[in-house]
Amino acid sequence: NDFILPIFLIDGKNKKQAISSMPGVYRYTLDRLSPFVEKAIKNKIPMVALFPYTKLKNKNELGTEALNEDNLVCKAIRLLKKRYKNQIGIMCDVALDPYTSHGHDGLLKYNYVLNDETIRMLINQSLIQAQMGCDVLAPSDMMDGRIGEIRKSLDKNGFKMTQILSYAVK
């Protein structure tokens, strides 16, 4: 009942790409998700967690692709919600590392993590994912104070039912 199936996403068409650091695990393009998700539903898996692989050209120091309503995760959320309604829950990682050119979860200045500035980005990323239909947000960034700020922002913007899951549980 508590199992969450991770799905690793990649841009393109009709691709299934091996992840070298995780033998037997693959990234899938959106057009290859249906059989995967249908099998999860058939096996009564209640939720999938989406993890994007972002092209280098879409990464930058600020991780602004995280705020793009047409990024890979947002496209996947819309597709799954449209196709499967609420037959399966959708969880999204909240962090900047898939989108930053330096690979860190936080914004950096002179190699120092800018906690408060990062939290503002994470709030915006959370709001976008909630607007797309994400059921559970799972912040993994480790910025101090981000959970309370994300919760306040979700509630203020009408997303009281969007849950936040501790990374320790995830």
Side-chain angles (χ1 to χ4, degrees):
N1 290 337
D2 295 331
F3 189 72
I4 299 167
L5 179 66
I7 297 179
F8 301 93
L9 306 168
I10 190 167
D11 268 323
K13 297 274 186 212
N14 196 29
K15 289 183 188 174
K16 177 182 176 183
Q17 180 187 71
I19 302 174
S20 61
S21 61
M22 295 188 282
V25 178
Y26 301 89
R27 292 183 186 104
Y28 297 91
T29 53
L30 298 181
D31 59 335
R32 299 213 40 192
L33 290 184
S34 287
F36 203 57
V37 173
E38 287 167 12
K39 187 173 181 182
I41 292 168
K42 181 182 173 202
N43 287 299
K44 299 184 179 171
I45 295 173
M47 184 167 291
V48 295
L50 305 176
F51 297 94
Y53 177 79
T54 306
K55 293 178 183 177
L56 284 176
K57 71 176 187 163
N58 293 338
K59 293 183 179 195
N60 61 33
E61 286 190 23
L62 301 176
T64 55
E65 181 69 8
L67 306 182
N68 178 0
E69 292 182 11
D70 217 21
N71 69 28
L72 192 53
V73 168
C74 291
K75 286 179 186 177
I77 296 168
R78 289 191 304 263
L79 173 80
L80 295 175
K81 281 297 179 179
K82 182 178 179 182
R83 191 168 291 160
Y84 300 105
K85 308 291 184 243
N86 289 316
Q87 294 178 61
I88 194 159
I90 300 173
M91 176 186 291
C92 294
D93 191 41
V94 176
L96 298 181
D97 61 310
Y99 306 103
T100 57
S101 53
H102 48 71
H104 197 287
D105 277 328
L107 302 177
L108 302 177
K109 186 171 186 178
Y110 307 116
N111 292 322
Y112 182 77
V113 177
L114 302 174
N115 191 82
D116 296 349
E117 291 86 345
T118 301
I119 289 175
R120 285 194 285 280
M121 286 283 291
L122 298 172
I123 289 168
N124 291 332
Q125 182 185 26
S126 297
L127 285 171
I128 289 168
Q129 291 177 351
Q131 289 165 357
M132 296 299 124
C134 181
D135 301 298
V136 177
L137 298 168
S140 65
D141 57 275
M142 309 306 276
M143 296 301 123
D144 291 336
R146 89 262 198 227
I147 300 298
E149 294 301 316
I150 290 170
R151 178 79 269 155
K152 279 191 254 180
S153 184
L154 289 170
D155 291 351
K156 179 182 169 187
N157 287 280
F159 297 105
K160 292 182 183 211
M161 298 305 290
T162 303
Q163 298 175 37
I164 299 176
L165 179 74
S166 163
Y167 193 73
V169 174
K170 182 170 73 165

